[in-house]
């Protein structure tokens, strides 16, 4: 009787453990999917969207140069006579910004002028060659960024087009530049190398212009072909973030979707179904092995094992959450996590009625380091600069990697004068830095833009970012290796 009771009790214990372990594994799989959907995907998506926004800002600044001093507009109104002066103007802009092409089209003469000395008379009947211009003439009323994929070259092309008008609002023509897409493509490729992630770009009609799988581009596939989601029906302007999470399609992939307004382009970050299911399967396998090996032990051993397993999973989850807020290369906070510190600082400032400052920092001529010594050395330079910034900031200040070779530091409670002094200290510390990965004669310098985080202003975060960016741009224009305050 006792043996039967023992065997029955052992069976009940074993089955109870199996049921509990299976239930926990199911819960854990839900937690994994929840983390991917609400933390991992948005973190990657917003970081990439921020990089695209910054790139768009750089491209639009180039287009502003095209419209500088109304040179092209006045040249058209003057009768389009001095072609050499136009070529000189376009050539200077092309050389300064390392453009693939700089050109303009006069609507009065329907003539195309390029910095490479081409002068072409447009023909509205030649749709394959000139149809793009007549489409723009009828639709374009503001500067736009246009993205196309050319299968013959297997290359992404980007143009920035700016319309020209006279004082009466009459359309005069179009000025445009073709930008070098190598750095842009490398940025997208870096995100595509993240395990289990795919990055896609598509025009507003859903036509793919960028994907890791080049075959999809060669086949001219669209978003609607890849997922059972009508992207044309998605709202382009969501509340707050402008993004939408599609939980899954028929294959079980998780998507983060945003319409990038300056690009007139859809951005989709996909967490593949295989990577999600692999993590879920690993969780189930681990739990099944525990149930088989620990089912023969007493209640105390069983529940102790469950508790230890749960603590380990919680530790791993916390580690993932930490990694989601940290830049893996430099160890500094990433832009998403830094934004949360800024929001907390605003709450504190409203309570104490004070001001704080932010420093926007950019490594001077960093592209030359990558070009001359290679990207691994460039990564080492980023790590050394990040360590120097962190070591030279006081406790309570927050240093972050803002993207690429840019960093941002929050100086809590600092005035503009104090912030400028600290920025100068950081600039000197970096300029005196001896980098073992570079020749002795090579020194790395930084330029810094300083602005106040002032709650008395409208949209204090956006205002502070914008003013810091303008100050940094001024520091770069003034010769680099200097501090400029807004």
């Amino acid at each position: 009787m006792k043996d039967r009771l023992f065997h029955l009790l052992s069976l009940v214990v074993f089955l109870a453990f199996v049921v509990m372990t299976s239930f926990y594994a199911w819960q854990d799989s839900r937690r994994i999917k929840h983390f991917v959907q609400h933390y991992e995907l948005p973190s990657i998506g917003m970081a990439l969207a921020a990089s695209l926004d910054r790139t768009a800002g750089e491209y639009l600044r180039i287009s502003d140069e095209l419209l500088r001093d109304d040179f092209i507009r006045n040249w058209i109104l003057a009768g389009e006579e001095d072609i050499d002066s136009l070529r000189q103007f376009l050539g200077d802009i092309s050389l300064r910004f390392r453009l693939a092409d700089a050109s303009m089209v006069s609507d009065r003469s329907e003539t195309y002028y390029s910095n490479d000395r081409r002068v072409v008379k447009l023909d509205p009947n030649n749709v394959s060659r000139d149809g793009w211009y007549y489409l723009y003439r009828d639709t374009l009323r503001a500067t736009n960024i246009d993205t196309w994929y050319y299968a013959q070259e297997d290359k992404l092309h980007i143009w920035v087009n700016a319309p020209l008008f006279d004082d009466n609002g009459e359309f005069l023509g179009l000025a445009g530049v073709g930008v070098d897409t190598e750095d842009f493509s490398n940025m997208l490729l870096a995100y595509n190398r993240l395990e289990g992630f795919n990055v896609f770009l598509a025009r507003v009609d859903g036509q793919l212009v960028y994907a890791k799988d080049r075959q999809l581009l060669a086949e001219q596939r669209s978003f609607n072909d890849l997922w059972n989601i009508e992207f044309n029906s998605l709202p382009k302007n969501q509340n707050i973030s402008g993004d939408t999470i599609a939980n899954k399609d028929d294959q079980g992939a998780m998507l983060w979707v945003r319409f990038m307004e300056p690009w007139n382009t859809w951005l989709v970050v996909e967490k593949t179904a295989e990577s999600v299911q692999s993590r879920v399967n690993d969780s189930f396998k681990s739990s099944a092995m525990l149930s088989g090996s620990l089912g023969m032990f007493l209640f105390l051993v069983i529940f102790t094992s469950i508790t230890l397993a749960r603590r380990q999973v919680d530790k791993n989850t916390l580690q993932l959450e930490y990694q989601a807020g940290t830049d893996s290369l430099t160890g500094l906070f990433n832009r998403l996590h830094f934004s949360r510190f800024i929001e907390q600082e605003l709450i504190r400032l409203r309570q104490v009625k004070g001001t704080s400052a932010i420093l926007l920092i950019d490594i001077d001529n960093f592209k030359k380091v990558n070009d001359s010594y290679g990207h691994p050395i460039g990564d080492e330079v980023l790590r050394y600069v990040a360590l120097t910034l962190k070591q030279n900031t006081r406790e309570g200040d927050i240093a972050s990697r803002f993207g690429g070779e840019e960093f941002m530091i929050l100086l809590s409670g600092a005035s503009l004068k104090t912030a400028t002094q600290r920025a100068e200290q950081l600039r000197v510390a970096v300029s005196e830095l001896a980098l073992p990965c570079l020749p002795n004669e090579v020194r790395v310098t930084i330029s810094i833009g300083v602005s106040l985080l002032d709650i008395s202003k409208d949209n204090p975060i956006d205002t502070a970012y914008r003013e810091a960016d303008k100050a940094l741009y001024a520091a770069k224009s003034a010769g680099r290796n200097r501090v400029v305050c807004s």
Side-chain angles (χ1 to χ4, degrees), residues 141-266:
R141 287 298 176 267
T143 301
N144 84 323
I145 302 174
D146 204 7
T147 311
W148 287 93
Y149 171 77
Y150 284 81
Q152 299 88 341
E153 305 174 25
D154 188 24
K155 187 176 181 181
L156 185 70
H157 286 251
I158 298 177
W159 287 272
V160 185
N161 302 298
L164 303 166
F165 302 95
D166 64 13
D167 293 335
N168 298 320
E170 180 183 349
F171 184 76
L172 293 177
L174 188 72
V177 297
V179 299
D180 187 347
T181 59
E182 180 180 357
D183 290 341
F184 180 79
S185 297
N186 288 338
M187 176 190 68
L188 294 178
L189 183 60
Y191 283 91
N192 260 324
R193 286 172 177 164
L194 295 174
E195 185 177 356
F197 285 94
N198 287 321
V199 174
F200 301 88
L201 292 178
R203 298 173 61 81
V204 67
D205 59 0
Q207 178 67 51
L208 283 176
V209 294
Y210 179 84
K212 181 166 61 175
D213 185 353
R214 318 304 283 184
Q215 186 64 30
L216 296 176
L217 299 174
E219 295 173 356
Q220 297 185 339
R221 302 287 292 276
S222 71
F223 278 170
N224 295 343
D225 297 332
L226 299 180
W227 302 285
N228 292 330
I229 299 173
E230 289 293 334
F231 279 81
N232 291 337
S233 65
L234 290 177
K236 295 178 182 177
N237 296 299
Q238 294 282 340
N239 293 331
I240 303 175
S241 63
D243 60 45
T244 178
I245 295 292
N247 292 328
K248 58 184 178 179
D249 61 357
D250 288 346
Q251 290 75 41
M254 292 186 177
L255 308 176
W256 187 94
V257 184
R258 173 171 288 183
F259 184 75
M260 305 300 297
E261 192 71 35
W263 299 84
N264 200 33
T265 297
W266 288 103

Side-chain angles (χ1 to χ4, degrees), residues 63-79 85-86 89 93 104 162-167 172 175:
S63 71
D64 289 342
E65 286 296 303
L66 280 175
L67 307 180
R68 187 189 64 197
D69 302 328
D70 289 333
F71 175 86
I72 299 179
R73 171 183 176 275
N74 294 335
W75 186 84
I76 295 174
L77 294 174
S85 66
L86 176 66
F89 180 80
I93 293 177
M104 61 83 61
L164 303 166
F165 302 95
D166 64 13
D167 293 335
L172 293 177

Side-chain angles (χ1 to χ4, degrees), residues 9-22 24 287 290-310:
L9 182 60
S10 298
L11 180 61
V12 170
V13 170
F14 179 76
L15 292 177
F17 183 82
V18 170
V19 171
M20 292 182 62
T21 305
S22 299
Y24 176 74
S287 300
L290 284 174
S291 66
S293 60
L294 300 178
M296 296 178 292
F297 289 90
L298 298 174
F299 281 103
L300 180 60
V301 177
I302 294 171
F303 287 115
T304 301
S305 300
I306 293 176
T307 302
L308 292 176
R310 186 176 184 86

Side-chain angles (χ1 to χ4, degrees), residues 298-341:
L298 298 174
F299 281 103
L300 180 60
V301 177
I302 294 171
F303 287 115
T304 301
S305 300
I306 293 176
T307 302
L308 292 176
R310 186 176 184 86
R311 287 178 180 174
Q312 183 62 41
V313 172
D314 288 342
K315 179 181 178 181
N316 292 340
T317 301
L318 289 175
Q319 184 177 2
L320 285 174
E321 292 175 353
Y322 170 77
Q323 291 174 350
T326 306
D327 176 57
S328 59
L329 178 63
T330 62
L332 300 180
F333 292 114
N334 60 25
R335 182 169 183 170
L336 174 64
H337 212 57
F338 182 78
S339 298
R340 295 173 182 168
F341 285 114

Side-chain angles (χ1 to χ4, degrees), residues 347-378:
I347 295 174
R348 188 190 71 82
L349 291 177
R350 290 188 178 99
Q351 293 173 345
V352 301
K353 305 298 183 183
T355 60
S356 294
I358 61 173
L359 309 181
L360 183 56
I361 303 168
D362 187 84
I363 301 178
D364 296 326
N365 299 314
F366 182 71
K367 189 176 185 303
K368 290 184 179 179
V369 174
N370 280 333
D371 292 343
S372 300
Y373 305 102
H375 288 276
I377 297 299

